[in-house]
Structures are given as C-alpha cells and as structure tokens.
C-alpha cells in the first residue's frame, strides 16, 4: 500500500459520521430474550426435578437421564417431522448424539 492509498483511506474514514443516537433494546429484543429463557428453563427443569424429589443420588441420576433421553427423542422426532425427513431416524440420531456428548463430557472429567 502506497502513502497515497493510505491518505485516501484516511480521508475517506475521516468523512464518515458517527451515530448520534445510542442503540437501544426494542420490544422484540425483550420478547426474544424471554422466549430463549423459557425454552432453556423448560428444557432444563424436568431434568433437574428428580434431584429435588429423590433422596438417592444414583436413582435420581438414572431418572434424570431417562427424562433427558425422552426429551431428546421427542425433540428429534418433532424436528424430523418438521423437516419431513424420517422422524424416527432423526429422533434416534439426536439421542445417540446426546449420549455421545454426555460420554465425552464424562471422559473429559465433567
């Protein structure tokens, strides 16, 4: 890049005006954030409930894992049905992927 090119870039950038107003959150932004919160809470809470209701940690973990697998199965089936691509195959793939991710997390010390 030559000094003339740098001068041309500098003059172009110096003419750019900055925004006079601050960006703010709109109603849609708050609604989107609330929707994400509800989705995360709604998908996480059923998995946590066994730990609140069952005294034995191993039993609570098995129940929690069963609930998580059921949620993945339902979500996978719904997704497969939505995209019109073999719902049961999609559901099984989602469960398999979820189980592999949990196994990887455990193997890494999580």
């Amino acid at each position: 890049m030559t000094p003339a090119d740098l001068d041309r870039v500098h003059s172009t950038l110096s003419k750019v005006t900055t925004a006079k107003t601050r960006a703010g959150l709109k109603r849609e932004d708050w609604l989107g954030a609330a929707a994400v919160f509800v989705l995360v809470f709604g998908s996480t809470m059923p998995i946590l409930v066994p730990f609140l209701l069952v005294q034995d940690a191993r039993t609570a973990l098995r129940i929690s894992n069963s609930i998580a697998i059921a949620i993945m199965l339902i979500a996978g089936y719904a997704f497969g049905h939505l995209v019109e691509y073999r719902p049961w195959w999609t559901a099984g793939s989602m469960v398999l992927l979820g189980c592999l991710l949990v196994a990887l997390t455990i193997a890494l010390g999580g």
Side-chain angles (χ1 to χ4, degrees):
M1 200 171 231
T2 66
D5 293 333
L6 290 175
D7 289 337
R8 190 171 36 249
V9 169
H10 183 282
S11 67
T12 302
L13 289 176
S14 64
K15 293 176 187 173
V16 174
T17 59
T18 59
K20 304 264 189 243
T21 59
R22 284 184 61 191
L25 295 175
K26 297 183 170 91
R27 182 175 182 267
E28 294 83 21
D29 300 324
W30 289 105
L31 288 175
V36 168
F37 172 78
V38 168
L39 285 172
V40 170
F41 183 82
S43 62
T44 306
M45 188 50 76
I47 298 170
L48 297 176
V49 168
F51 294 102
L52 301 174
L53 300 177
V54 178
Q55 293 294 325
D56 182 37
R58 275 194 120 134
T59 305
L61 181 62
R62 297 298 175 244
I63 295 170
S64 176
N65 288 344
S66 300
I67 293 170
I69 288 171
I71 289 173
M72 287 187 288
L73 190 70
I74 292 167
Y77 183 87
F79 180 71
H81 184 70
L82 180 70
V83 298
E84 299 176 355
Y85 183 75
R86 298 169 37 186
W88 286 112
W89 190 87
T90 308
S93 298
M94 186 172 281
V95 170
L96 181 63
L97 179 63
C99 291
L100 287 173
L101 289 173
V102 169
L104 180 64
T105 302
I106 293 169
L108 293 175

